[in-house]
Amino acid sequence: MPLSPERKAEYFEKFKALLSTYSKCFIVEIDNVGSMQLQMTRKGLRGKGEVLMGKNTMMRKCIREFMEENPGHPAEQLISTCRGNVGFVFTNGDLGEVREVLESN
């Protein structure tokens, strides 16, 4: 079922805000990950980072628009990773801590 234009606009705003707010990002593959496991991961990351999932085409389009507004930003490298069942975990904290939370769930 397609998203409404309002929901797409909200998603684009949120993604762009995350790209500009956070300096570090994990790319996570979520094949064979259940909703409960994802929920526990989000809960474990509270205060440390944010998880963002979405449709690959929308994520690529959002990154492209962000790059037009902010040329030279390193987020351009994320476009090629939007293949398959992936999501992003944004953080400004210690990558080691966030990785431990991701691997424990």
Side-chain angles (χ1 to χ4, degrees):
M1 183 170 166
L3 290 174
S4 67
E6 296 85 25
R7 294 281 308 260
K8 283 184 183 180
E10 281 177 32
Y11 181 84
F12 277 48
E13 287 175 30
K14 181 176 182 176
F15 201 148
K16 289 177 184 179
L18 290 173
L19 285 170
S20 57
T21 305
Y22 292 100
S23 59
K24 301 170 191 165
C25 175
F26 272 107
I27 297 138
V28 292
E29 192 172 296
I30 57 158
D31 284 334
N32 303 316
V33 176
S35 59
M36 186 64 177
Q37 188 176 357
L38 192 56
Q39 181 182 358
M40 295 305 293
T41 303
R42 286 180 194 268
K43 192 174 182 180
L45 286 172
R46 283 188 191 151
K48 297 177 187 163
E50 286 193 52
V51 178
L52 183 74
M53 313 302 276
K55 296 185 173 234
N56 292 339
T57 337
M58 271 186 17
M59 289 192 290
R60 283 193 295 267
K61 184 177 180 184
C62 189
I63 295 169
R64 281 192 194 101
E65 285 182 12
F66 182 79
M67 292 311 301
E68 287 173 9
E69 297 166 10
N70 305 291
H73 195 277
E76 188 171 16
Q77 299 166 354
L78 297 176
I79 293 174
S80 62
T81 63
C82 293
R83 300 265 185 269
N85 231 355
V86 297
F88 297 106
V89 178
F90 293 95
T91 185
N92 281 330
D94 180 35
L95 290 176
E97 275 182 42
V98 175
R99 184 175 182 176
E100 284 178 21
V101 172
L102 292 172
E103 288 178 344
S104 68
N105 290 310

